Every structure is written in C-alpha cells, then in structure tokens.
C-alpha cells in the first residue's frame, strides 16, 4: 500500500566526498564512525569493511594524534570507502592526513588557532579537492557562546556554525558541509531548520549521543524523520552506543520508511496475535538474519492470518498469509502456492532469493539489449 511521497528535498550545493556525491540531487548518504583504536590498523580496517558490507557510503575515523594520522594512511591504503578524518585543534594532523589521501576533513576552523594555520589547512583542502565538514556539538560549544546563552540552545548551535562558516567564506572556500548536533531532539531539529535557510551547503544530520540501540534508534528516527520530512538532510549518521553496523542498518531503515532510499528487503509484518497460523515473530527473526546479504529492494509481507494478510500480500512483491492447514504464498499480488509450517522459513528464503535472482537476470537482459 503506497502513497506518493510528499517530501521535496532542499536544494543544496553538491560536494564530493571521495567518489560519493553529497547534496544536490544525490541520494542521501548513510555513514557511521569507527569506534576502534585508530592505531590498531587491522581492527579499524576490519570494522570499515563490515560497515561497507552493511551498505555504508562514508565512514568517519577519529585521528587524535600524529601516530593515529600515520595509522590512518595505512588504513586508507586498505579500504575503498570514502574516509572522513575527525580532527580537533591540531592543524598539523589535518595537513598530514591530507597528504595521506583523506576524502573529507571534519575540523572546525575556529578551533585550530591562528589564521596562518587555518589558511594552511584550507589550502591543503583546496589543492587536494578535499571538502571540510564543520561539526558543531552542543556538548562542546565555545566558552563565549556558553556565557552568552547560559546553556546550549538552537541559536547557540547556529551561531557557532556561522562563525566557522565565516572563516571559510573569508578564504573563499565553499566545499563544505555542516552538522549541528545535540542529544535533545527539539534543539537539534530547530537548529537544522534555522541554518537550512541561511546557507546553501549540504547538511549532515544526526542526533548526537542518542543512546543505546533501542532508545537511540527511537530518538534518531524521530529527530531525523522530522528533518527529512522537511526535505532537510544530505547525509545522515545514527549515533548509537552499539555496534556501528547497527547505525547503518537503522539509517537505511529510516530512509526506506520515508521512501527516500531503499536497500534490502522491506518487510511488512504483523505483530502477531492469537489468530496467527504460524509463529510470525520467529519467522521474521529468522528471515531477517538469513537475508541480511540481500541488497535488492523488495517488499515482502508476512502476515499471520487471513484478516489483513490477503490485502497486504496483494500490494507487496511477495507475501504470505497464514492459513489452515497451509499458508498461502503470493507473488506479484496473486496467489502462487501453499506452504507448510514445518518448512516455512526455508521455503520463504528460497522463494525470496529466487525472486531476487529473477529480477537480476531481467535487469542484466535489459542492459545487454541496450548495449547492443
């Protein structure tokens, strides 16, 4: 059951983070950040690889020291995803990672000292076609703004961002993106809405320090959802005290729910009740675990009984309606075959993978014909 999306995206300037376009009419990028010790090159490369397999477009890596900068260079050599170096205060680290192939510098110009240091970093970014991300966080506002506002507010976040933007403007550097993050949803949303009207650069969305897997997912979904519905946002990061891979999965689920981007199977499943003719919850848990490798966009309805099952199955690509003594499987909205409970999960996995393969074959055939 689909309705046209009402979302009209904010028109922003497009920048390139490695080979990933950010802003303009580019798809909203999903990113995460490593939580390994950057100097542990093997562990960090392993985590970036896992994030890439989960669908990450961009990964941020903390670079707090020169040793970490040298490790970053080794990491850069071993991974293909665009990497953002997260740097605070020390401009020399920014200059070093620029030499080592960084794709974006997350550095606030106002925090790195004298104008000659700022100028050196901006020159390195310009020479290397490296964009800058200005990252304002409610937990680390400038002391002058803390005194002015008394506590973090949306206006304080915007004023902080504009200070850094003014520095880049002074150096005629426009290839940057901006984030204004707080752990409080309304403050974050208000800040993004305000700055979206003042600049043309892309915006990186996030609710910072959102919490654990469950609470952080809820908080991020609400905050990012409000902004995305406004058409605001060019990249997103779901900040969770959890495995970073979960951030990518939740990020895509948010975009998928708003039909802004699709990756993997969109399951429509009932919460189950006493009418169910098979164990809906266990079936869903098994299918999600087994089909994590499927990146193709597909709507699959798993409904436990005949009350809502036929209606959902008819508008999904594939669907299952619980029935006694056997469950009815739908393909392209039409009844296709009956499935037994004893082999239900195995049968569903097989049928879903067959549909994915059929679509891939069809796409390859179309491409082959167009090439000829």
């Amino acid at each position: 059951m689909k309705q046209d999306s009402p979302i009209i995206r904010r028109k922003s300037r497009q920048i390139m983070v490695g080979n990933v376009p950010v802003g303009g009419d580019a798809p909203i990028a999903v990113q995460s950040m490593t939580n390994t010790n950057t100097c542990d090159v093997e562990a960090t490369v392993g985590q970036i690889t896992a994030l890439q397999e989960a669908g990450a477009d961009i990964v941020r890596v903390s670079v707090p020291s020169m040793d970490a900068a040298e490790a970053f260079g080794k990491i850069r050599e071993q991974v293909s995803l665009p990497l953002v170096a997260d740097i605070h205060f020390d401009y020399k680290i920014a200059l070093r990672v620029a030499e080592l192939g960084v794709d974006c510098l997350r550095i606030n110009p106002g925090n790195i000292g004298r104008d000659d240091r700022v100028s050196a970093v901006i020159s390195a970014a310009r020479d290397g076609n490296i964009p800058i991300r200005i990252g304002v966080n409610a937990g680390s506002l400038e002391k002058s703004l803390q005194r002015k506002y008394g506590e973090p507010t949306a206006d304080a976040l915007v004023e902080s961002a504009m200070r850094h933007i003014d520095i880049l403007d002074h150096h005629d550097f426009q290839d940057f993106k901006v984030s204004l993050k707080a752990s409080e949803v309304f403050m974050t949303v208000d800040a993004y809405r305000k700055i979206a009207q003042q600049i043309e650069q892309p915006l990186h969305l996030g609710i910072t320090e959102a919490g654990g897997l469950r609470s952080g997912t809820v908080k991020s979904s609400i905050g990012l959802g409000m902004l995305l519905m406004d058409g605001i946002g060019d990249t997103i990061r779901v900040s969770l005290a959890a495995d970073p891979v979960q951030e990518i999965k939740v990020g895509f689920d948010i975009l998928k729910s708003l039909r802004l981007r699709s990756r993997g199977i969109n399951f429509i499943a009932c919460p189950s009740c006493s009418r169910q003719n098979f164990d809906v919850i266990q079936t869903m848990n098994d299918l999600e675990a087994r089909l994590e490798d499927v990146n193709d966009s597909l709507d699959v309805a798993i409904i436990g009984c005949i009350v809502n099952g036929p209606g959902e199955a008819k508008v999904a690509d594939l669907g299952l309606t619980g029935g006694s003594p056997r469950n009815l499987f739908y393909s392209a909205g039409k009844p296709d075959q009956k499935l037994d409970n004893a082999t239900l999960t195995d049968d569903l996995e097989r049928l879903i993978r067959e549909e994915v393969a059929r679509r891939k074959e069809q796409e390859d055939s179309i491409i082959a014909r167009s090439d000829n």
Side-chain angles (χ1 to χ4, degrees):
M1 299 180 185
K2 294 182 179 179
Q3 178 179 325
D4 291 341
S5 173
I7 297 173
I8 300 174
R9 287 182 61 191
R10 162 182 172 266
K11 288 181 170 55
S12 60
R13 176 191 180 98
Q14 188 171 98
I15 63 174
M16 295 296 296
V17 179
N19 60 358
V20 174
V22 173
D25 58 357
I28 295 172
V30 179
Q31 70 179 75
S32 181
M33 184 175 183
T34 56
N35 60 14
T36 53
N37 182 339
T38 303
C39 290
D40 187 340
V41 173
E42 183 179 358
T44 305
V45 168
Q47 191 167 79
I48 293 171
T49 300
L51 289 167
Q52 184 171 20
E53 291 173 351
D57 299 299
I58 301 168
V59 173
R60 180 158 54 114
V61 178
S62 179
V63 188
S65 66
M66 271 299 179
D67 287 342
E70 297 305 321
F72 178 89
K74 297 175 182 177
I75 294 164
R76 171 70 286 171
E77 293 172 354
Q78 297 181 51
V79 300
S80 59
L81 274 182
L83 298 182
V84 179
D86 190 90
I87 299 165
H88 294 276
F89 309 120
D90 192 341
Y91 81 105
K92 292 180 181 178
I93 297 175
L95 296 179
R96 183 58 179 146
V97 295
E99 294 173 346
L100 293 170
V102 73
D103 297 294
C104 180
L105 291 169
R106 193 280 195 188
I107 187 165
N108 291 344
N111 293 342
I112 56 176
R114 301 190 307 263
D115 186 68
D116 60 326
R117 296 177 177 179
V118 175
S119 180
V121 172
I122 293 174
S123 293
R126 182 179 284 113
D127 292 344
N129 293 317
I130 302 167
I132 290 174
R133 173 183 154 198
I134 293 172
V136 174
N137 192 300
S140 56
L141 284 171
E142 298 93 315
K143 290 182 180 179
S144 60
L145 291 177
Q146 294 178 31
R147 289 192 296 269
K148 177 178 179 179
Y149 290 94
E151 62 182 17
T153 66
D155 287 334
L157 291 174
V158 172
E159 185 170 340
S160 177
M162 293 307 299
R163 287 183 179 184
H164 298 299
I165 291 169
D166 286 345
I167 294 172
L168 295 182
D169 284 343
H170 175 72
H171 289 271
D172 194 26
F173 188 88
Q174 300 301 318
D175 287 340
F176 63 88
K177 55 181 177 175
V178 179
S179 65
L180 307 90
K181 297 183 180 181
S183 57
E184 208 283 324
V185 169
F186 293 116
M187 184 190 307
T188 305
V189 171
D190 191 16
Y192 275 109
R193 284 173 172 167
K194 287 180 175 180
I195 203 162
Q197 298 176 3
Q198 298 183 43
I199 65 172
E200 65 173 0
Q201 277 72 19
L203 296 175
H204 168 74
L205 305 186
I207 305 296
T208 194
E209 298 141 5
L213 180 57
R214 186 187 66 189
S215 60
T217 294
V218 172
K219 191 182 294 185
S220 296
S221 299
I222 292 171
L224 300 189
M226 292 168 71
L227 290 166
L228 292 167
M229 280 292 293
D230 286 347
I232 296 170
D234 302 285
T235 73
I236 65 170
R237 190 257 175 118
V238 177
S239 298
L240 301 175
D243 184 340
V245 167
Q246 296 298 327
E247 298 184 350
I248 300 301
K249 294 179 180 179
V250 173
F252 272 105
D253 283 343
I254 291 172
L255 295 180
K256 189 188 304 180
S257 69
L258 296 173
R259 296 210 303 282
L260 287 167
R261 194 171 172 191
S262 183
R263 185 181 192 276
I265 298 171
N266 177 37
F267 281 108
I268 299 100
C270 68
S272 79
C273 69
S274 61
R275 294 194 306 266
Q276 67 181 354
N277 293 101
F278 61 91
D279 189 337
V280 175
I281 294 174
Q282 188 60 54
T283 300
M284 277 303 309
N285 288 339
D286 291 343
L287 286 175
E288 286 188 328
R290 292 188 187 194
L291 296 166
E292 277 193 340
D293 62 304
V294 175
N295 298 327
D296 301 72
S297 177
L298 200 67
D299 290 336
V300 178
I302 307 293
I303 310 297
C305 76
I306 60 171
V307 174
N308 295 322
E312 293 288 359
K314 287 177 181 177
V315 295
D317 298 309
L318 302 175
L320 181 73
T321 295
S324 181
R326 305 176 76 197
N327 309 294
L328 184 57
F329 178 78
Y330 288 72
S331 178
K334 297 179 180 179
D336 182 75
Q337 58 185 285
K338 293 187 176 182
L339 304 179
D340 292 322
N341 280 359
T343 58
L344 185 58
T345 304
D346 290 339
D347 290 337
L348 285 171
E349 180 186 4
R350 173 179 54 81
L351 289 164
I352 290 170
R353 291 190 182 278
E354 286 177 356
E355 176 63 16
V356 170
R358 185 192 69 79
R359 291 182 174 217
K360 180 68 166 56
E361 183 178 344
Q362 190 176 53
E363 290 175 4
D364 290 345
S365 176
I366 292 172
I367 293 172
R369 287 199 300 270
S370 65
D371 290 342
N372 293 332

